[in-house]
Amino acid sequence: MRQLIPVTIIFSLLHASPASAQSGGHLYADFEIDIEFNELDGLSLGSEAEHNRLVEQEMEFEFDIEYWVNNKFNLFFTGALIDENETIKSADMKTTRTGLEFRELGVAYLFGDIVDSEINLGRVEYESISQWWSWWDDELDIISLQLWFGDFETFLAIAEEQAPESTDQDFIDPELDDVQRLIFSMSWEIMDGQILNIYYLKQNDNSPNYRVGDLEDIEKIDEEDADLIWKGISYVAGIEHHMIGEIDLELHYSEISGRFAVYEFEDSSSGVVEVSEREDGHINGTASGYLLRWTPRGLDEFSLIIAGAKGSGDSDLGDRHNKSYRQTGLQGDLESYGELYQPELSNLKIDMFGLQWRIAENMSFALMHFDYRQDKLSDEIRDATIEVDPSGASRDLGKELDLVYSIEYEETLELFFTYAKFKPGSAYADYRQDSTDYIGIDFAYKF
């Protein structure tokens, strides 16, 4: 896999020769400007006044270039010039990222008369069929084969990070380095607008294991090694009934199994840390979810949404058998579980309901309510925006209300205004009187 990028370049040069482009090549290009501003007040729920207000500003210029050598073979490159600033205002702490981000880069080859097929080689973005229940939505360095035959679509890939994501990074993210993934997905359109999907993801972490006493550069810490397998099944349907209206329905179930090693570190010297503790264990967890969106007949501008998701937790933290579910790490941002709190679906139960109102053809307004509870009592949460651990005395993590106003015009202009408010529950007993507010503005223009 480490030879993926050189092989891609050589393969591209050979097939992009004049002999292979008898009918002449075709070049396509799209450009997009994206400006985003977010402010979060209450990052630490008031527990640390100097680390409570976070401001993020992002500007990027994305260019998407595709060259078709002929009707079967093409080369593609998507990159972005980025300028990102993250500032904790009260502490005057600022982090900046500037450079060229490599999002997609590689070659694709179409073939097959009876079974339409495509081979991709390089860095490719791949998304799951559901944006709400996202098991992967990320750019991966892959060799992949995709097949279409009748009502079936199959995807098979081997993935391993080959190079840093952008020019502002000197090395591959330690959490991704030497991690190899085998991905399989098959979708079957069982009826018009109704899709049944099964997926499988095997992760082998081949990075060197730490031992207690080992020293590591603080910037290259890898806090966990894990060999894991995810298996899942999803049903996604869009049904239109002449009396009821339109119904979008999603049903999901997933399992995880494997083994892991978690490390603790302590400062040793300037820029170096020492491995102070190691914990090994096995994991077996499950997750499930549903989403129902109903647009009544005669009220096409309104949609009612009811949804729920649950990731299992572990009631016995003393043994080495962890029953908590965890997501793949490829799921991208988790705004679908709340614009502010954005929790990972691990030891968590989420209930959601809301209303979408299409004010005009290109404008819509959404109001969503989220209720977060732990599956099992714990004084930890695997991942969330709030930088405070729960007390472990209650499962009630809190509630969130999201307001999103969006304008989308002919796939060229997008403008989003977001306000979210999180009210902590009794699991954050010391901060029940505090709340967290979030404001976001996102503007994108494609040309």
Side-chain angles (χ1 to χ4, degrees):
M1 284 294 293
R2 282 295 184 197
Q3 303 303 317
L4 179 60
I5 290 179
V7 169
T8 299
I9 296 172
I10 295 172
F11 189 76
S12 303
L13 291 174
L14 289 174
H15 283 76
S17 64
S20 66
Q22 298 173 0
S23 59
H26 298 278
L27 181 66
Y28 303 92
D30 289 313
F31 304 93
E32 181 176 319
I33 296 173
D34 197 322
I35 301 173
E36 187 173 345
F37 173 85
N38 305 312
E39 181 169 334
L40 191 153
D41 190 8
L43 180 65
S44 64
L45 291 179
S47 62
E48 298 181 52
E50 69 276 11
H51 289 84
N52 211 40
R53 187 180 172 203
L54 174 67
V55 176
E56 297 175 314
Q57 296 172 292
E58 300 180 12
M59 296 182 63
E60 68 176 47
F61 176 70
E62 182 182 87
F63 43 94
D64 186 356
I65 301 172
E66 192 171 7
Y67 178 71
W68 283 85
V69 178
N70 50 44
N71 61 356
K72 293 183 177 295
F73 182 77
N74 73 87
L75 296 79
F76 55 87
F77 174 60
T78 301
L81 297 171
I82 59 170
D83 184 13
E84 301 177 356
N85 295 296
E86 183 178 292
T87 306
I88 299 179
K89 282 286 188 179
S90 44
D92 197 24
M93 296 173 56
K94 185 174 182 179
T95 304
T96 301
R97 289 186 63 228
T98 303
L100 174 63
E101 200 169 80
F102 304 101
R103 296 183 175 173
E104 293 194 277
L105 170 66
V107 297
Y109 182 68
L110 299 168
F111 64 97
D113 296 324
I114 298 177
V115 179
D116 292 331
S117 310
E118 181 179 12
I119 291 178
N120 276 276
L121 181 64
R123 179 163 293 177
V124 181
E125 181 179 11
Y126 185 69
E127 299 179 356
S128 53
I129 63 171
S130 169
Q131 293 185 347
W132 176 73
W133 183 270
S134 178
W135 50 90
W136 45 59
D137 180 10
D138 207 346
E139 295 88 16
L140 299 171
D141 295 340
I142 65 172
I143 302 173
S144 70
L145 173 65
Q146 200 159 2
L147 308 172
W148 296 268
F149 180 71
D151 297 326
F152 291 88
E153 179 181 342
T154 303
F155 178 82
L156 178 65
I158 298 175
E160 183 180 342
E161 200 81 359
Q162 302 295 300
E165 295 179 352
S166 66
T167 57
D168 75 324
Q169 297 175 325
D170 297 326
F171 47 84
I172 297 174
D173 185 339
E175 295 182 0
L176 302 175
D177 199 13
D178 286 324
V179 175
Q180 190 174 94
R181 296 181 171 98
L182 174 65
I183 303 170
F184 172 79
S185 172
M186 185 174 71
S187 297
W188 174 28
E189 189 172 11
I190 53 180
M191 297 178 66
D192 186 31
Q194 300 182 49
I195 298 174
L196 185 67
N197 176 256
I198 59 173
Y199 57 92
Y200 174 92
L201 171 60
K202 182 178 183 180
Q203 171 183 297
N204 290 325
D205 191 337
N206 301 314
S207 60
N209 293 327
Y210 293 126
R211 294 173 299 179
V212 174
D214 285 351
L215 301 179
E216 181 62 277
D217 188 320
I218 194 170
E219 294 183 354
K220 295 184 178 182
I221 289 176
D222 183 5
E223 295 183 340
E224 183 179 50
D225 294 322
D227 295 331
L228 303 171
I229 294 176
W230 287 265
K231 296 176 288 187
I233 184 169
S234 295
Y235 171 78
V236 178
I239 303 169
E240 187 169 354
H241 191 275
H242 68 282
M243 294 182 62
I244 299 175
E246 295 182 14
I247 295 176
D248 295 320
L249 176 65
E250 297 187 17
L251 302 172
H252 306 277
Y253 178 78
S254 178
E255 297 180 349
I256 182 177
S257 61
R259 61 180 183 84
F260 64 89
V262 179
Y263 307 100
E264 296 289 340
F265 299 86
E266 60 183 26
D267 291 338
S268 176
S269 59
S270 179
V272 176
V273 294
E274 180 180 348
V275 180
S276 58
E277 187 176 336
R278 170 175 171 159
E279 178 186 350
D280 293 87
H282 291 82
I283 182 170
N284 289 95
T286 62
S288 58
Y290 73 92
L291 180 143
L292 175 66
R293 180 186 290 108
W294 175 40
T295 304
R297 183 173 176 81
L299 295 173
D300 295 346
E301 65 273 21
F302 292 99
S303 295
L304 175 68
I305 300 172
I306 301 174
K310 178 183 176 182
S312 63
D314 188 7
S315 58
D316 186 359
L317 301 179
D319 63 10
R320 295 192 174 187
H321 187 190
N322 190 337
K323 297 179 181 178
S324 294
Y325 183 81
R326 66 174 70 176
Q327 293 181 261
T328 63
L330 304 175
Q331 68 270 8
D333 293 333
L334 294 169
E335 289 98 339
S336 56
Y337 297 154
E339 294 280 348
L340 191 161
Y341 198 54
Q342 292 193 24
E344 182 173 345
L345 193 59
S346 177
N347 189 27
L348 187 68
K349 186 176 184 293
I350 311 172
D351 291 312
M352 312 169 234
F353 64 87
L355 182 70
Q356 288 183 330
W357 174 27
R358 283 165 291 283
I359 304 170
E361 182 180 357
N362 302 308
M363 291 185 291
S364 66
F365 175 83
L367 174 65
M368 291 295 300
H369 179 271
F370 302 84
D371 188 352
Y372 306 105
R373 295 183 63 83
Q374 289 182 325
D375 181 44
K376 306 294 183 183
L377 283 174
S378 175
D379 59 0
E380 297 179 354
I381 186 165
R382 182 167 173 82
D383 192 17
T385 301
I386 304 299
E387 295 184 350
V388 179
D389 289 328
S391 64
S394 170
R395 294 186 178 91
D396 179 19
L397 293 170
K399 300 179 181 355
E400 178 173 325
L401 186 67
D402 290 0
L403 303 173
V404 181
Y405 175 70
S406 61
I407 300 173
E408 300 177 77
Y409 182 72
E410 294 184 352
E411 298 184 357
T412 58
L413 174 67
E414 292 182 349
L415 183 60
F416 296 91
F417 297 94
T418 303
Y419 172 75
K421 188 177 191 69
F422 174 78
K423 184 67 175 176
S426 52
Y428 298 106
D430 295 338
Y431 314 104
R432 290 295 301 275
Q433 303 305 313
D434 297 295
S435 62
T436 302
D437 296 278
Y438 169 87
I439 296 174
I441 301 173
D442 189 357
F443 168 82
Y445 181 71
K446 183 179 290 186
F447 56 96

